[in-house]
Amino acid sequence: MPDSLDEELDDASVCPTVPHTDATVQPHGCLLAFDNDWQSVCLASSNLSRFFGLSPAEALGRPPEQVLGADTVTALARALARGAPGITISSGNGTLQPLYLSLHATGRHVILEVEPQEEETGHDLPGLGYTWGTRIARASSTSELYAQLLQALHVLTGFASCTLLGQDHDGHDLRLEQKGIPIESVPCTVDRSARVPLMLVDGQAKPAELFGSPGPLPDLSGCPLCLPPPKLRNWLSGRQARAALILDLHEATPGRSLVVCRDRQPRHLSPPLRHLLLQLTQVATLRRALLHEKQQTQDRYRLLHERNTRLQRLAYTDPLTQVANRHRIEQVLETELAAACRNGSPLAVLLFDIDRFKAINDSHGHEVGDQVLHQVAQEAQSHLRNSDHLGRWGGEEFIAVVPGCDLTQAQELAWRVCHALAQSPIAPVGQVTASFGVAACQPGDSSRRLVQRADQAMYQAKRAGRACVRTQEAC
């Protein structure tokens, strides 16, 4: 960077009778403003002569063509019409270094910021933008996204430290940095537009004053050339930062999120490079929003799945015994029967009824009776395989659908459950038994006929003295 960053301004070239504003600009560049009809210059920085050979007093009130040249004004008008951020021209003061003219309209005025076009801007900025933009856009997580963004800023700017401060979508603090420098909060006075980078080229350089014609002056809040707020400059100075670049990512989060790049040496980033860096932050903003929306969608699907699972369980489960209800166990029986007929595999059902259950209710009350139903269901479930299905058939009756079991195997299972129930007393009732009927699937069976045979076998067990197992092979 030329020594001009530290040059003292020549105040003798400024006419003291020209009204001035309270704003100042960084002296590496100059600022001009004229009305949106391009009739006359209404604002100029005190260092204008270094770039165009005219003092502010000589430029104010003149048409832009007399200050910049007719060809330059024509090129600027065309750039503004097609939405270009600026143009490059030869230096107006006879030096070989080209100038970059950034312009934007603010309603009643057109603002022109003039800065030296640095040699490094001859690099392939579109190619660099594509490379880093692709990396950022392909990030699969926010941590990867921020790491790619900070690396891009560090490589492209050469600043010693690149830090991300703020909050993510979930309100969690972001404390990410490219270099191992302690993280601290940036002053809340950073109130620039998110579309414009906030830049400090040299914190020790004397600023250039602005002089304006009488009348309304343009809004300069979106001009990177203007000096950052004093609190921010003091914050940077306290951290031995002489140069800084701050980009706002607030669109990616509900709070304020900033990328802060700082260095102990003066650094000027040309406007085209700043435009590229701003585009990369906007890509990161959009990618972060997409990742957040993707995560929200996944969370919504997960929550919906959990709720549907709970609803399905409620719809299929008997609330008292926590086994399948009548509707669900009938569905299961139909499905297993169809599979058994299709595959030629065995299938059996166990239908059992709690013995003397009415007496339990009459003697101990319905609350104890409900406890007995629950305990019997849980005890029976503990002796079944994962492939077996237990359901409440109605009242004190239960049914177990046992695929892969023939009549003999199902009868052995029924006896095990029968003995287990008899040997597991339930307080305050004591011993509780059940009578079992077993039936196996036969060719041409329907679920109704299969359960009917099991039901007849169960009543045979009741007539045989209860607490036993009977089978019914044919109906």
Side-chain angles (χ1 to χ4, degrees), residues 319-472:
L320 178 59
T321 61
Q322 293 302 300
V323 297
N325 58 22
R326 175 69 176 262
H327 174 69
R328 179 56 178 167
I329 201 64
E330 284 181 336
Q331 288 182 332
V332 170
L333 179 57
E334 291 287 352
T335 300
E336 294 292 352
L337 182 60
C341 294
R342 183 173 58 253
N343 302 327
S345 56
L347 173 69
V349 296
L350 283 60
L351 192 65
F352 60 97
D353 181 89
I354 299 175
D355 297 328
R356 298 184 176 88
F357 185 72
K358 183 176 182 303
I360 294 175
N361 274 337
D362 292 343
S363 300
H364 300 281
H366 288 280
E367 184 174 347
V368 172
D370 290 345
Q371 294 176 8
V372 168
L373 288 170
H374 181 268
Q375 289 293 102
V376 167
Q378 298 307 305
E379 181 67 28
Q381 183 74 67
S382 68
H383 292 275
L384 300 178
R385 304 166 301 176
N386 291 335
S387 59
D388 299 333
H389 311 275
L390 178 65
R392 187 178 180 187
W393 196 246
E396 62 272 21
E397 278 188 337
F398 295 85
I399 189 171
V401 180
V402 285
C405 285
D406 57 22
L407 185 62
T408 300
Q409 293 169 326
Q411 185 180 21
E412 292 173 354
L413 174 61
W415 274 114
R416 287 197 299 271
V417 178
C418 182
H419 290 152
L421 289 174
Q423 295 170 8
S424 304
I426 300 175
V429 178
Q431 186 186 53
V432 175
T433 63
S435 300
F436 288 74
V438 181
C441 177
Q442 297 176 355
D445 250 343
S446 65
S447 60
R448 178 176 175 275
R449 291 176 61 186
L450 180 58
V451 173
Q452 187 178 34
R453 291 202 307 276
D455 186 62
Q456 291 178 357
M458 184 185 69
Y459 277 100
Q460 289 179 11
K462 290 285 188 183
R463 290 192 292 269
R466 299 183 178 88
C468 62
V469 177
R470 292 294 182 268
T471 63
Q472 178 71 31

Side-chain angles (χ1 to χ4, degrees), residues 233-263:
R233 299 201 303 275
N234 293 338
W235 181 85
L236 292 168
S237 176
R239 284 143 192 84
Q240 299 182 337
R242 192 168 174 181
L245 175 71
I246 298 179
L247 304 172
D248 198 328
L249 277 75
H250 80 279
E251 290 183 2
T253 62
R256 199 68 181 270
S257 295
L258 303 171
V259 177
V260 181
C261 304
R262 60 183 191 260
D263 201 287

Side-chain angles (χ1 to χ4, degrees), residues 119-140:
E119 293 181 0
E120 65 265 20
T121 58
H123 294 169
D124 182 16
L125 290 184
L128 291 172
Y130 174 79
T131 299
W132 285 108
T134 300
R135 294 181 185 180
I136 293 170
R138 291 178 178 175
S140 58

